[in-house]
């Protein structure tokens, strides 16, 4: 991997130990933005840190896929290749800056909320400061971003227009955007000056809604909500 840190969990607060997926009686599906790391050989690996904590090196590729799933195995991968050369060949290197390939896959019609039509997939080459996170690289090329009151990513480039980590199926658990594994909102989640609703938190806290999917299970979800 080209990342300066371990590829990580979609928990906003940092890495967690991921338990086994819940059984069918507990499985719940959520509609959310999943975060993926582009491996050196062009494949995708489900991230185990949030984009706010991953600080990729020049030449990395980060992927975001709008998907429906109950765990990482069911999450849809970006359908474009994690090919840095193809994404950034037209962006010259600059001193003091790094280039990060960004792949955004808005999912399929089956993934979309009722009445929504997924936009066409898009790619970009983000040229950002050397210490920028993956989340900040996304914010540089895919505004407007939308967050909920807990600074969880709800939309990239304005999609979807409403909803945030909505529960799709499953008898138990609350509907809506989850908090971190410890029941608290993520550190660094507040928006910086001038960020507004289309820029997102300055720390680039993106993809954290998938924490619920990684953790899985109604009991875990309800316990965290009660502590919140």
């Amino acid at each position: 991997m080209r990342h300066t840190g371990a590829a990580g969990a979609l928990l906003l607060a940092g890495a967690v130990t991921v338990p086994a997926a819940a059984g069918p009686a507990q499985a719940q599906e959520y509609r959310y933005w999943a975060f993926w790391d582009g491996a050196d050989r062009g494949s995708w690996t489900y991230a185990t840190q949030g984009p706010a904590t991953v600080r990729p090196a020049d030449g990395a590729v980060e992927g975001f896929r709008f998907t429906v799933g109950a765990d990482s195995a069911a999450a849809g991968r970006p359908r474009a290749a994690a090919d840095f050369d193809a994404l950034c060949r037209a962006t010259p290197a600059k001193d003091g800056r790094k280039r990060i390939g960004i792949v955004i896959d808005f999912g399929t019609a089956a993934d979309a909320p009722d009445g929504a039509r997924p936009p066409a997939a898009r790619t970009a080459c983000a040229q950002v400061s050397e210490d920028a996170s993956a989340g900040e690289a996304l914010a540089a090329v895919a505004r407007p971003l939308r967050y909920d009151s807990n600074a969880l990513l709800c939309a990239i480039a304005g999609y979807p227009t409403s909803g945030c980590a909505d529960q799709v199926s499953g008898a138990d658990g609350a509907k809506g955007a989850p908090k971190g594994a410890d029941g608290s909102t993520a550190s660094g989640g507040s928006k910086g000056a001038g960020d507004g609703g289309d820029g997102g938190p300055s720390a680039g806290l993106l993809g954290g809604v998938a924490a619920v999917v990684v953790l899985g299970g109604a009991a875990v979800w309800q316990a965290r909500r009660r502590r919140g």
Side-chain angles (χ1 to χ4, degrees):
M1 299 290 293
R2 294 185 177 93
H3 291 145
T4 56
L10 290 179
L11 267 178
L12 295 174
V16 296
T17 301
V18 180
Q26 293 180 309
Q28 296 175 32
E29 292 185 328
Y30 289 84
R31 182 178 285 114
Y32 70 102
W33 279 101
F35 174 44
W36 296 84
D37 290 319
D40 289 332
R41 296 184 180 180
S43 60
W44 293 108
T45 302
Y46 197 81
T48 52
Q49 281 181 359
T53 59
V54 173
R55 299 191 180 275
D58 182 82
V61 179
E62 306 297 342
F64 297 83
R65 167 72 187 266
F66 194 70
T67 187
V68 171
D71 53 40
S72 60
R77 289 176 169 79
R79 288 168 289 180
D83 186 340
F84 175 80
D85 291 338
L87 295 171
C88 290
R89 65 164 59 99
T91 304
K94 290 183 180 180
D95 291 341
R97 308 284 284 177
K98 64 183 178 183
R99 296 166 299 164
I100 309 299
I102 300 291
V103 173
I104 305 168
D105 189 329
F106 295 89
T108 67
D111 299 325
D114 291 345
R117 177 178 297 179
R122 56 193 280 191
T123 61
C125 184
Q127 193 161 62
V128 292
S129 62
E130 290 181 331
D131 64 347
S133 67
E136 289 167 324
L138 176 67
V141 299
R143 297 189 181 207
L145 306 179
R146 178 169 58 84
Y147 297 83
D148 74 354
S149 60
N150 294 319
L152 301 180
L153 179 69
C154 303
I156 296 175
Y159 182 83
T161 58
S162 63
C164 195
D166 291 340
Q167 183 179 317
V168 176
S169 65
D172 297 321
K175 181 177 180 179
K179 297 183 179 180
D182 60 355
S184 63
T185 55
S187 59
S190 60
K191 291 178 170 64
D195 280 337
D198 65 350
S202 59
L205 295 175
L206 307 173
V209 293
V212 166
V213 178
V214 175
L215 291 170
V220 174
W221 164 242
Q222 289 174 332
R224 295 336 184 226
R225 290 290 289 182
R226 285 195 295 270
R227 286 215 294 264

